Amino acid sequence: MTTLTDPAQAPARSWVDPATTAPAPTLRETWEQTLSLAGRALLRMRRNPETMFDVVVQPLLFTAMFAYIFGGAISGDVSSYLPLLIPGILGQTALTACMATGTQLREDMDKGVFDRFRSLPIARIAPLAGPAVADLLRYAIAATLTILTGVLMGYRPGGGVLGIAGGWLLVVVAGWSLSWIFTWLGTVARSAQAVQGISMMIMFPLTFLSNAFVPVDTLPGWLAAFVQVNPVSHVISAVRDLLNTGQVTGEVGIALLGCAVVVAVFAPLAVRSYSRKV
Amino acid sequence: MTSTPPTDLAVDARGLVKTFAAQRAVFGVDLQVRRGEVLGVLGPNGAGKTTMLSMLATLLPIDGGRASVLGVDVARDPHRVRRLLGVTGQYASVDENLTATENLRLFGRLLGLPRAQARARADELLEQFGLTDAAGRPISQFSGGMRRRLDLATSLISHPPLIFLDEPTTGLDPRTRGQMWDTVRGLVAEGCTILLTTQYLDEADQLADRVAVIDHGRKVAEGTPEQLKSSVGSSTLQVRLADAARTSEAVGLLRERAGLAPSASPESGAFSVPLTEPDGAADVLLLLRDQGLSLASAALAKPSLDEVFLALTGDRTTRTETMRTETMRTETDTSTEEVA
């Protein structure tokens, strides 16, 4: 049944001379390793299509649900609520979509294959960045479906095609950036369930205590103060500006800056705790 | 060992320390593996074998002491060390979601092989490890033995000069174990250096040039399997009496008259007598004949590695006494399960 190593057939060994090997992976190697691991994550998505359930169903369900429930109360009717709501839902779905990044990473890390990643001469960030890159697909799907649902319900973005493209891109970038928070959580939490639980606790205040569903001036002062500093509010305001007016406002700058800060803080934290994990 | 210059060492660890909660800690272990040699690290579960290997493989930070792999410092240059190592863990570390081919290609790419070369190397390894037929199947459908083979194949993609095998046959059936052993021998023939941990004595006996016995995070013995065996006493006389009922009489006689420490075997009428010199066997047999205790059989043998292992990893304060007692003797036959 089994043929085993036959030394005579084995290829000539190319011995590695330790002195000639690089002390650390180059940037180019890091990028290639990240892409290889992103490829692995995509294969995994294809084999487990149920992991895409959230980004496919949530945009449809939440857009319709929130529009018909809150539309009349907040904006008088559904179609005048949509310019406020769609960017809000976009911000929310980006956040929930990247929440799954942490849970899946934790599940993955509990399996043996991560032990091998750790023993390989690859960049420490690659096993974390690979799935993050693959998850861009998830944010893209979520953003596309949300905008489409809105349009089907009568939403006519004032920003035109360029505005839509800009808003879409910002949502994808924001999802990717925020996912590093959950990646970090995935590396520090003990189990996938713990990641899930903590993620929910972060996700709910961040999305509902924002300007996603209601105008800020309807809120009491103390709550409005929190909503103003909530980074998700800035992302949503920026998306609103892009979608509804097509203008690249200061909010877009603040949102991008916020995203950059999140990545700059949480990516190194994640790599650090991943490298130390026993 | 003292004559070996340090450059000939594939692994050179001095005073390795890992402090954890009680179990699995390592307290100052020295370990030297020469190039081209198979060093077996033998010890019961929780002795610190895997912890030690993980430190050498850069998977765990070293808390004390220092280690180098083929002259590269493990703590200072982890990336270089990883380039020199193939590590096969206790649990198959391949991706469950991918097929065998996809796994090998992925790891080939990660190790820097160009796409075409990664494909070629994957096919080559599948062939070499008898996995060609299963190449397209997801790993979740693989048997334990197949997973281990794929795991080992994955470790060999980059032709690493040094291979760490952490309990490569734990949980495998005897036939698959034998195949794994053949594979390891093949690697040795190619010139690989291998550091292997095992809790199976016969595995160390079969594969290792030298054995280091680890217990409670300390190295308790080191040497060739032969050296270790002779350290327990040069030989054992195994005796079976024609009249099983007189066994205890014979044991008592040898204890009192010859000052020996015979121990009864589980087999009825049989006992074994540890001897410092093989020549002592004649005295024992004469003494038995003088008392009219006739023999069914008698055999002089070297002690097994099992006896060495139990002697070395037993309670160290009393081990010289206990290893000769009956309880130890009866445990010997099941030692691999007992220590597991």
Side-chain angles (χ1 to χ4, degrees):
Chain A
M1 175 191 109
T2 315
T3 9
L4 286 146
T5 322
D6 178 359
Q9 283 181 356
R13 275 177 176 278
S14 49
W15 296 106
V16 200
D17 179 4
T20 63
T21 61
T26 63
L27 216 57
R28 190 196 152 91
E29 282 170 347
T30 305
W31 176 240
E32 283 174 359
Q33 289 153 5
T34 302
L35 285 189
S36 294
L37 288 165
R40 162 185 179 261
L42 286 176
L43 264 180
R44 193 184 139 114
M45 280 182 206
R46 211 175 68 194
R47 305 262 152 89
N48 305 292
E50 68 277 6
T51 58
M52 302 299 267
F53 189 74
D54 58 341
V55 293
V56 173
V57 174
Q58 194 174 311
L60 308 176
L61 191 70
F62 276 32
T63 311
M65 202 170 71
F66 282 107
Y68 289 112
I69 293 175
F70 296 137
I74 294 169
S75 303
D77 62 78
V78 171
S79 57
S80 41
Y81 182 46
L82 286 174
L84 181 77
L85 175 71
I86 297 300
I89 297 275
L90 281 170
Q92 189 200 26
T93 36
L95 204 56
T96 43
C98 67
M99 218 176 77
T101 307
T103 322
Q104 281 182 10
L105 179 73
R106 180 69 259 175
E107 272 176 13
D108 224 12
M109 282 178 69
D110 290 335
K111 292 186 185 138
V113 67
F114 257 74
D115 292 344
R116 184 173 293 281
F117 290 154
R118 283 157 43 75
S119 75
L120 288 180
I122 58 173
R124 301 291 92 181
I125 198 172
L128 306 179
V133 169
D135 278 347
L136 286 173
L137 180 67
R138 289 165 47 82
Y139 315 134
I141 291 175
T144 309
L145 286 179
T146 308
I147 296 174
L148 276 180
T149 314
V151 170
L152 284 178
M153 289 173 67
Y155 175 46
R156 297 290 172 264
V161 177
L162 276 182
I164 293 175
W168 179 89
L169 196 63
L170 182 59
V171 170
V172 174
V173 169
W176 184 81
S177 307
L178 293 173
S179 77
W180 283 100
I181 301 177
F182 300 98
T183 298
W184 170 71
L185 261 182
T187 60
V188 290
R190 279 169 186 275
S191 67
Q193 281 96 328
V195 180
Q196 179 104 24
I198 302 166
S199 300
M200 287 301 233
M201 303 258 290
I202 297 175
M203 199 276 287
F204 270 105
L206 278 184
T207 50
F208 284 95
L209 304 184
S210 75
N211 59 359
F213 307 111
V214 292
V216 182
D217 50 28
T218 61
L219 303 173
W222 59 270
L223 189 55
F226 177 81
V227 168
Q228 304 283 7
V229 297
N230 183 348
V232 176
S233 296
H234 290 290
V235 171
I236 291 167
S237 300
V239 174
R240 266 182 201 140
D241 291 345
L242 287 167
L243 283 182
N244 296 332
T245 68
Q247 279 169 354
V248 184
T249 57
E251 283 293 344
V252 178
I254 295 173
L256 286 176
L257 186 69
C259 289
V261 170
V262 166
V263 177
V265 171
F266 286 95
L269 278 179
V271 173
R272 209 175 80 142
S273 84
Y274 162 71
S275 309
R276 286 192 178 172
K277 205 89 187 175
V278 178
Chain B
M1 230 178 63
T2 43
S3 62
T4 316
T7 42
D8 270 359
L9 293 176
V11 174
D12 187 12
R14 313 255 173 194
L16 270 195
V17 174
K18 183 79 211 171
T19 41
F20 276 143
Q23 281 252 312
R24 307 187 172 278
V26 173
F27 308 99
V29 171
D30 289 352
L31 207 66
Q32 277 81 37
V33 189
R34 285 173 230 144
R35 282 181 197 241
E37 152 180 88
V38 180
L39 180 79
V41 175
L42 185 63
N45 251 358
K49 305 187 296 287
T50 302
T51 306
M52 212 170 60
L53 220 62
S54 299
M55 282 194 281
L56 292 174
T58 77
L59 298 175
L60 275 180
I62 297 172
D63 289 351
R66 54 188 187 78
S68 64
V69 164
L70 293 159
V72 181
D73 190 274
V74 173
R76 231 183 11 238
D77 248 345
H79 187 71
R80 280 203 176 117
V81 169
R82 290 182 198 119
R83 280 200 172 280
L84 300 168
L85 280 182
V87 184
T88 289
Q90 208 162 331
Y91 308 101
S93 30
V94 283
D95 194 328
E96 300 264 325
N97 291 291
L98 306 185
T99 66
T101 312
E102 285 167 346
N103 263 295
L104 289 169
R105 284 183 189 170
L106 168 68
F107 288 111
R109 294 286 290 150
L110 285 176
L111 287 162
L113 297 183
R115 205 171 293 274
Q117 228 175 307
R119 280 169 187 269
R121 184 76 181 123
D123 294 343
E124 192 177 293
L125 283 165
L126 287 168
E127 173 85 44
Q128 194 180 336
F129 281 82
L131 291 167
T132 308
D133 293 341
R137 273 197 269 154
I139 309 304
S140 43
Q141 293 174 19
F142 272 36
S143 70
M146 286 161 78
R147 276 179 207 227
R148 293 291 180 91
R149 290 213 301 276
L150 178 64
D151 201 32
L152 184 54
T154 312
S155 305
L156 301 179
I157 292 173
S158 61
H159 299 286
L162 176 61
I163 297 166
F164 287 178
L165 298 174
D166 192 12
E167 304 199 5
T169 64
T170 299
L172 294 187
D173 62 70
R175 208 179 81 128
T176 323
R177 259 178 102 191
Q179 290 173 345
M180 201 56 139
W181 288 354
D182 288 342
T183 309
V184 173
R185 288 192 191 104
L187 293 173
V188 176
E190 285 176 54
C192 285
T193 306
I194 295 178
L195 176 56
L196 150 120
T197 72
T198 181
Q199 24 176 320
Y200 301 119
L201 304 142
D202 52 338
E203 189 158 289
D205 212 356
Q206 289 270 344
L207 297 176
D209 299 313
R210 283 189 311 124
V211 175
V213 184
I214 305 281
D215 191 31
H216 294 106
R218 291 189 170 81
K219 187 166 77 180
V220 292
E222 188 174 355
T224 63
E226 288 308 309
Q227 282 169 345
L228 290 181
K229 284 178 202 168
S230 54
S231 73
V232 184
S234 69
S235 46
T236 308
L237 179 67
Q238 268 136 9
V239 181
R240 205 152 74 84
L241 294 180
D243 183 2
R246 297 183 67 186
T247 312
S248 58
E249 183 193 333
V251 168
L253 172 83
L254 291 173
R255 204 169 268 155
E256 282 157 31
R257 298 269 296 273
L260 293 167
S263 50
S265 305
E267 199 186 344
S268 111
F271 57 90
S272 65
V273 191
L275 300 166
T276 43
E277 301 261 340
D279 292 345
D283 301 332
V284 171
L285 297 177
L286 280 174
L287 204 57
L288 293 175
R289 194 184 64 185
D290 290 348
Q291 293 299 313
L293 292 155
S294 60
L295 302 175
S297 68
L300 194 59
K302 285 241 166 209
S304 70
L305 208 47
D306 277 4
E307 286 168 300
V308 180
F309 187 62
L310 280 170
L312 291 168
T313 62
D315 185 353
R316 255 160 284 135
T317 51
T318 54
R319 74 161 188 257
T320 36
E321 287 82 29
T322 45
M323 69 163 287
R324 310 256 139 110
T325 66
E326 293 181 16
T327 48
M328 289 302 265
R329 183 66 207 142
T330 49
E331 264 175 25
T332 309
D333 290 302
T334 53
S335 61
T336 38
E337 280 78 34
E338 293 288 328
V339 294

